[in-house]
Amino acid sequence: MKTNPTRRELIKVAGTAAISLPAISFVAGDATSTSDQTRSQSSNTRTFPKGFYWGVATSAYQIEGAWNEDGKGRSIWDTYTHTPGKIKNNDTGDVANDHYHRYKEDVALMKDVGANAYRFSIAWPRIFPDGTGQPNAKGLDFYNRLVDELVAAGIAPFATLYHWDLPQRLQDKGGWQSRETPKAFGDYAGYVAEKLSDRVKHFFTINEFHTFVDMGYQGYESQVGGGAVTLEIAPGLKLPPADLNQVRHHAVLGHGLAVQAIRAKAKQGAKCGPAENINIAVPLIESSEHIKAAEIATREANAPYLTVILEGKYTEAYLKTAGKDAPQFNDDDVKIISAPVDFVGINVYRPSFYALTSDKPGGYREVPFSASHPKMRSSWHVFGPESLYWASKFVQSLWKAKEIYITENGCAADDQLTDDGKVYDTDRVMFLRNYLTQLQRATADGVPVKGYFQWSLMDNFEWSAGYGNRFGIVYVDFKTQKRTPKLSAQWFRETARRNAVV
Ligand code: GBH
């Protein structure tokens, strides 16, 4: 193992420090100008593979605003947030970060924080105001301008086609309960891929099947230390189990139809895959039998989503447990659902549960979180950095993914602007360092993780929590729209620049 940097490396480091960088600096002389002697020796071994993407992520409804401009149709989130009592403080995304008008400033911010990739989502009702039918040229123009700006800045655009803002017109016709919605989604996906794939080479179909279906169509109980919290999002329905399972089926069918349409319409070289908040069972004890138990548990915990997408069949246990409530489907459906993908995107925030072996059928048991298990700011946000290691590892071991992207990871914090105009989010820095250490461990094991997207570039509309839960590495004053990079932005930039955990 190398302990001292070579002269060449020192020159390289000095060289990078000399490039004039924007003003995110909290301490006089940051790590680059400190003598390398004082750097942790292990930092030499904490590097990521060459060509790794260091990205930041956002989604359309959470940042764009301009909810009724340039011919955009209504989405279910416009309806939901305009219904009093649904969102904390009755906040809405009507203006949000005003990104629709400030996208140039925001692309410059991405550059400031050292990102070389950006994951954003496209608002379906901007492109097809009614969900289907005539496209709205002005809606597409916005994404053309954004993509051009990114390319000019040397930032790779990664586009998500569905981040929950379903056209209200489709919801009126049954939304994801109807088989027409996955079809309409496929058509929309093909249209966007055709128009943007000369510049956008990575498309994610659907963001978080598990979240938008289970929280949107039934309400979801999330296990945390000492109990559970109930989570709900638009359209805020409470369907019985059979109907819920049918919605789940339509969601993965929509993904499959989108994959087919992208393959048919996109320029050569465009790649696609899902972006799922994988349910992740973490082995409480890292010995082979408990690891095996957690792997089995992870496969079952994702049965209606990633497992059927990547295996082409529902697991026996899922169908057996669902019984008469199992989804209605035919063989063609599962072929479409499991159309080969180029990569698997996973959003990882926490362990779903810890697992141990068991003699009971199935071979694993879930261990509840202790009442004092540490949490981040969000009610559901159990702290568990190893989840990032095991999520990546199991996606490879279970499904032999060729490429994996961490499409989201991050945390909310009680960020305060201090008198000196800065935000010292030490908890977020702690969170990121611990999670990324576990991701580096996965890449060192040979797991093909190609990139990491920090959620989020900047504070934004955090769904039911409104603007209270700040997830950004850039602070946003929602009265003035002023953006201020936090301490974590400086940390992220340093990590991206070194391609190593710092
Ligand atoms: C993501 O959602 C979203 O993609 C993004 O828009 C959002 O802003 C961000 O994360 C931060 O919340 O019992 O383990 O299933 C993540 C939302 C996913 C929250 C699932 C609660 C339930 C915890 N969540 N989760 S679990």
Side-chain angles (χ1 to χ4, degrees):
M1 197 184 71
K2 243 180 4 167
T3 47
N4 284 314
T6 63
R7 212 182 139 65
R8 248 181 103 140
E9 281 168 336
L10 281 174
I11 290 167
K12 235 170 79 192
V13 170
T16 11
I19 298 171
S20 84
L21 277 160
I24 317 173
S25 195
F26 287 80
V27 282
D30 65 17
T32 35
S33 52
T34 314
S35 147
D36 269 7
Q37 253 67 32
T38 60
R39 257 175 54 207
S40 154
Q41 295 193 349
S42 65
S43 66
N44 289 333
T45 60
R46 296 170 82 189
T47 53
F48 286 80
K50 246 181 95 188
F52 197 78
Y53 284 105
W54 288 101
V56 286
T58 64
S59 89
Y61 187 74
Q62 294 178 275
I63 64 165
E64 284 178 1
W67 74 284
N68 58 359
E69 276 180 52
D70 290 342
K72 175 183 165 291
R74 272 174 174 257
S75 81
I76 56 172
W77 274 94
D78 296 316
T79 308
Y80 193 71
T81 57
H82 294 172
T83 309
K86 293 294 186 195
I87 309 292
K88 195 169 169 197
N89 298 323
N90 288 324
D91 288 344
T92 76
D94 292 1
V95 177
N97 298 42
D98 194 30
H99 170 77
Y100 192 78
H101 302 113
R102 295 170 194 258
Y103 68 94
K104 286 193 178 176
E105 179 191 342
D106 291 338
V107 171
L109 261 183
M110 294 168 207
K111 195 115 192 110
D112 268 23
V113 304
N116 61 14
Y118 175 48
R119 173 174 177 249
F120 61 100
S121 84
I122 293 169
W124 183 352
R126 282 198 198 284
I127 312 292
F128 290 98
D130 294 332
T132 56
Q134 278 307 309
N136 167 37
K138 283 189 168 174
L140 185 70
D141 282 352
F142 168 68
Y143 298 104
N144 272 322
R145 292 195 298 276
L146 172 65
V147 167
D148 287 344
E149 190 74 17
L150 289 165
V151 172
I155 297 171
F158 284 65
T160 304
L161 293 160
Y162 187 73
H163 203 122
W164 310 352
D165 41 0
L166 185 73
Q168 180 62 42
R169 206 52 78 78
L170 294 183
Q171 184 62 42
D172 297 342
K173 297 186 209 156
W176 289 99
Q177 285 179 263
S178 158
R179 235 183 125 88
E180 294 305 311
T181 294
K183 285 192 200 148
F185 178 63
D187 294 344
Y188 148 72
Y191 179 80
V192 171
E194 186 184 339
K195 300 291 182 194
L196 296 183
S197 57
D198 56 333
R199 290 151 293 156
V200 177
K201 298 302 177 193
H202 298 83
F203 290 93
F204 298 106
T205 54
I206 290 182
N207 179 68
E208 299 201 346
F209 301 83
H210 170 54
T211 303
F212 100 80
V213 175
D214 293 58
M215 283 166 56
Y217 289 80
Q218 188 170 66
Y220 181 75
E221 293 234 313
S222 174
Q223 300 302 317
V224 296
V229 289
T230 304
L231 304 166
E232 197 194 288
I233 55 173
L237 302 181
K238 301 225 182 306
L239 300 182
D243 295 359
L244 182 76
N245 285 334
Q246 201 60 38
V247 171
R248 291 169 159 181
H249 181 73
H250 290 159
V252 287
L253 183 61
H255 155 84
L257 289 167
V259 171
Q260 284 188 342
I262 294 167
R263 301 266 186 251
K265 298 284 172 80
K267 308 261 181 312
Q268 245 202 334
K271 295 181 169 187
C272 66
E276 172 63 333
N277 61 318
I278 180 174
N279 272 320
I280 173 74
V282 169
L284 192 52
I285 300 170
E286 292 193 6
S287 66
S288 56
E289 66 275 23
H290 296 299
I291 292 171
K292 187 77 207 154
E295 186 187 44
I296 295 168
T298 296
R299 178 170 174 266
E300 281 310 335
N302 294 283
Y305 304 119
L306 269 191
T307 307
V308 69
I309 289 173
L310 298 170
E311 295 186 17
K313 59 176 184 331
Y314 287 113
T315 68
E316 276 170 37
Y318 173 65
L319 292 176
K320 203 171 152 215
T321 312
K324 63 172 181 25
D325 296 327
Q328 308 287 313
F329 62 96
N330 57 51
D331 290 348
D332 279 350
D333 286 4
V334 276
K335 271 196 212 113
I336 296 167
I337 290 166
S338 60
V341 293
D342 301 299
F343 47 73
V344 179
I346 47 176
N347 295 357
V348 181
Y349 287 90
R350 54 165 283 188
S352 300
F353 54 88
Y354 288 102
L356 290 175
T357 54
S358 154
D359 300 335
K360 291 213 228 70
Y364 67 88
R365 69 187 169 98
E366 297 183 17
V367 180
F369 295 103
S370 84
S372 58
H373 193 100
K375 265 184 50 197
M376 304 311 292
R377 177 70 179 78
S378 305
S379 64
W380 49 268
H381 205 169
V382 170
F383 184 68
E386 336 78 83
S387 56
L388 195 46
Y389 174 76
W390 290 108
S392 312
K393 195 86 175 161
F394 289 155
V395 168
Q396 183 196 35
S397 65
L398 283 167
W399 301 307
K400 317 285 172 276
K402 285 176 286 189
E403 296 189 356
I404 298 170
Y405 284 98
I406 307 306
T407 32
E408 286 180 30
N409 171 251
C411 67
D414 269 324
D415 298 316
Q416 308 288 344
L417 257 186
T418 50
D419 289 344
D420 59 356
K422 312 231 181 214
V423 179
Y424 297 96
D425 52 342
T426 57
D427 46 354
R428 184 174 288 104
V429 172
M430 174 204 75
F431 179 94
L432 294 176
R433 180 183 293 115
N434 278 279
Y435 275 70
L436 278 161
T437 296
Q438 293 291 327
L439 186 63
Q440 194 279 335
R441 181 183 165 209
T443 61
D445 282 7
V447 179
V449 181
K450 302 296 177 190
Y452 168 93
F453 292 87
Q454 148 68 36
W455 184 273
S456 180
L457 166 67
M458 52 184 168
D459 299 339
N460 58 49
F461 178 77
E462 174 56 13
W463 308 115
S464 306
Y467 293 98
N469 283 10
R470 295 176 174 272
F471 268 89
I473 55 174
V474 173
Y475 183 89
V476 177
D477 178 333
F478 289 100
K479 289 203 184 80
T480 61
Q481 292 294 347
K482 184 170 188 280
R483 279 89 159 123
T484 307
K486 304 176 192 176
L487 177 59
S488 55
Q490 188 183 359
W491 184 90
F492 180 86
R493 188 179 64 173
E494 196 59 26
T495 292
R497 176 159 51 172
R498 288 190 190 283
N499 201 30
V501 183
V502 297

